[in-house]
Amino acid sequence: MTKHSPVDQNPTAPASSTGTRAGPGVVPDFTAPPPGRRRTRYAVAGTGHRAGMYVTALTGEHADVGELVAWLDPNPARIDYYDAYVGQALGSGAPAGLPRYGPEDLETMIAEQAVDSVVITSVDRTHAELVDRALRAGADVVVEKPLTTDAAGCRRITAAVADTGRDVVMTFNYRYAPRNSSLRRLIGSGAIGQVTGVHFEWALDTMHGADYFRRWHRDKTNSGGLLVHKASHHFDLVNWWLDDVPVRVFASGALRFYGDKNAAGRGMGPRPERGTGAQGDPFSLDLRDDPRLEALYLRAEEHDGYLRDQDPFAPGITIEDNLSVLVDYEGGATLSYSLNAHSPWEGYKVTVNGTEGRAELQVVERGHLQLGTDGGIDLDPSAAHAQLADEIRPTGHRLVLQRHWSRAEEVPVPEGIGGHGGGDAILLKDVFRRELRVGEDPLNRSAGYLDGVRAVAVGAAANQSLVTGLPVMVEDLGLGVRLADGQPPAGPAVSP
């Protein structure tokens, strides 16, 4: 039987697991489930690579509190991959044979399989519809970022939450990365006084960054662009670090590196239509180089025609690769944010200025890229994923505090566990065991639908600003809820 490895980490992203044992205070305390407690019944909607983290959790560490009972996806090959993994993980030696449904049968699935909660890991543009329908059919929801792609989606979800009173869990895993939690703790301590401004720079390298221009994300209708799909993580971090809400947004950006016009302008010449089978091209991705990508996408093409390895310099790309955003917050701070998707290294830099000093967080997730022997992209874990020695830009993180009239001091950051900076495994505990948590989380890392709306609000407003060239007031988007308190907006309702 084929060996399956449904981990969540995108193979083109930097390897970011930080260890197997977390530092003190990083992982919340949870009690054991009481004897006889019924396991929560989960269905997975969307069986692409993003589903892997949840499938692994529910057949491994969290199998005592939750169980997978159904799949929902239009592509049977992708369901086959995960169903086979579940069978292996549960020791049957054969596929699990869980019931499978198409998107049109979501309500039927929830009723027939007595689903308690739907894990939504589908294409971003489908999130609002699936969340709305799942809640109204009587299930709770766990949804991957972004919550949705635009203001209309936010209105649909907030209305469903208000009408049903059911629960929506947002999986903002970057909150749980100890380096980000440590910055939150530092700001909350008052060490830098009242925050006056934040500068946040995110760099995606030409292995990971290019991947958004190969996949369905390249169509802004599907993803909302990087300002929503990728930056919703980053805007959520700032909202959470400041414990504040955005009120006005201005953005500038364009497609300046990827796409056919940019390739022609730089004289790149003829391009392969897809990466699989291409030789010696550092911007091509061969799906055969990763068994998971081959199973989930290459062998699934016959069912829906979706190509996971499109050329990032092909026509039809409608998202931006260079972006700058200014955000004014209700409490008086201003965020200046930038994202570049064609950097030679990957990581981020955050500077938080306050009335008493300054905090700086610098993270290098991959210091440089090393191509394969043929000059193409290399997904071999011993090469691209290894934290290759780099004396000038070593991988790692550093959090520095400097108060006025004082020397800079480094703030220790404890070890995390799992991917995404050591946050994934901790997030999953909160997702699947939160009813068993001992005490409150002083960092308030668990996120709900309102946090999702607050993050999408910045990206949606920024996208509107890109079109108009003008600043956008967040309240004018008509999100269906007041960001500050989660109450209905004061003005007349905006139609979906």
Side-chain angles (χ1 to χ4, degrees), residues 147-365:
L147 177 67
T148 181
T149 57
D150 54 22
C154 289
R155 290 193 292 274
R156 184 168 184 174
I157 291 170
T158 55
V161 172
D163 290 345
T164 67
R166 301 206 68 90
D167 189 42
V168 177
V169 174
M170 277 298 309
T171 56
F172 281 132
N173 48 5
Y174 270 119
R175 289 186 175 199
Y176 292 82
R179 60 205 183 201
N180 298 328
S181 297
S182 296
L183 179 56
R184 159 89 174 197
R185 187 178 294 107
L186 181 61
I187 294 170
S189 74
I192 62 171
Q194 181 178 349
V195 175
T196 60
V198 179
H199 177 68
F200 194 161
E201 175 191 2
W202 198 283
L204 290 164
D205 64 27
T206 50
M207 182 184 290
H208 189 196
D211 213 33
Y212 295 100
F213 299 83
R214 300 185 186 105
R215 300 180 280 167
W216 53 261
H217 309 71
R218 72 209 310 256
D219 182 347
K220 206 164 194 177
T221 304
N222 286 332
S223 65
L226 292 178
L227 283 171
V228 173
H229 176 80
K230 184 64 178 174
S232 63
H233 259 325
H234 314 153
F235 298 141
D236 172 69
L237 282 177
V238 179
N239 296 344
W240 174 66
W241 282 329
L242 300 184
D243 192 19
D244 205 350
V245 295
V247 295
R248 185 173 68 169
V249 179
F250 175 77
S252 178
L255 182 66
R256 297 183 178 126
F257 184 81
Y258 301 106
D260 58 327
K261 293 181 180 178
N262 292 315
R266 294 199 298 277
M268 293 181 68
R271 298 284 309 159
E273 291 186 4
R274 62 181 305 178
T276 300
Q279 297 293 322
D281 178 31
F283 292 102
S284 291
L285 175 66
D286 195 322
L287 298 176
R288 298 170 301 182
D289 291 341
D290 183 276
R292 181 164 53 107
L293 293 184
E294 183 177 18
L296 287 175
Y297 301 106
L298 189 61
R299 293 192 222 142
E301 291 174 6
E302 62 179 295
H303 299 288
D304 57 16
Y306 171 59
L307 302 181
R308 168 67 176 77
D309 59 344
Q310 298 175 81
D311 176 32
F313 296 98
I317 295 173
T318 57
I319 66 174
E320 302 82 14
D321 54 25
N322 280 256
L323 292 155
S324 298
V325 184
L326 286 174
V327 184
D328 291 332
Y329 278 83
E330 188 173 75
T334 296
L335 163 69
S336 58
Y337 170 84
S338 67
L339 184 149
N340 179 280
H342 56 90
S343 170
W345 67 280
E346 180 147 334
Y348 58 101
K349 299 178 181 180
V350 184
T351 300
V352 186
N353 290 300
T355 55
E356 300 293 330
R358 174 183 177 106
E360 300 171 359
L361 173 62
Q362 297 191 45
V363 178
V364 177
E365 294 185 329

Side-chain angles (χ1 to χ4, degrees), residues 15-221:
S16 59
S17 296
T18 61
T20 56
R21 297 188 64 181
V26 169
V27 181
D29 291 327
F30 297 86
T31 62
R37 180 182 186 267
R38 186 181 74 87
R39 291 191 295 169
T40 303
R41 296 173 63 83
Y42 290 94
V44 173
T47 53
H49 92 266
R50 183 63 70 184
M53 180 169 73
Y54 305 95
V55 173
T56 305
L58 287 169
T59 54
E61 181 180 358
H62 303 292
D64 61 329
V65 293
E67 61 178 322
L68 286 165
V69 299
W71 309 111
L72 185 141
D73 196 291
N75 192 301
R78 286 197 279 274
I79 292 179
D80 287 344
Y81 173 81
Y82 283 113
D83 200 67
Y85 172 80
V86 171
Q88 282 186 357
L90 298 181
S92 71
L98 298 182
R100 51 183 69 193
Y101 298 81
E104 68 280 3
D105 296 321
L106 173 65
E107 291 82 359
T108 301
M109 177 188 73
I110 291 171
E112 290 184 348
Q113 306 306 324
V115 174
D116 297 311
S117 185
V118 180
V119 178
I120 297 176
T121 52
S122 55
V123 175
D124 297 349
R125 63 174 167 78
T126 67
H127 286 190
E129 178 187 348
L130 293 176
V131 171
D132 176 30
R133 290 170 58 197
L135 295 179
R136 296 186 187 279
D140 294 327
V141 165
V142 175
V143 60
E144 257 292 341
K145 64 87 187 167
L147 177 67
T148 181
T149 57
D150 54 22
C154 289
R155 290 193 292 274
R156 184 168 184 174
I157 291 170
T158 55
V161 172
D163 290 345
T164 67
R166 301 206 68 90
D167 189 42
V168 177
V169 174
M170 277 298 309
T171 56
F172 281 132
N173 48 5
Y174 270 119
R175 289 186 175 199
Y176 292 82
R179 60 205 183 201
N180 298 328
S181 297
S182 296
L183 179 56
R184 159 89 174 197
R185 187 178 294 107
L186 181 61
I187 294 170
S189 74
I192 62 171
Q194 181 178 349
V195 175
T196 60
V198 179
H199 177 68
F200 194 161
E201 175 191 2
W202 198 283
L204 290 164
D205 64 27
T206 50
M207 182 184 290
H208 189 196
D211 213 33
Y212 295 100
F213 299 83
R214 300 185 186 105
R215 300 180 280 167
W216 53 261
H217 309 71
R218 72 209 310 256
D219 182 347
K220 206 164 194 177
T221 304

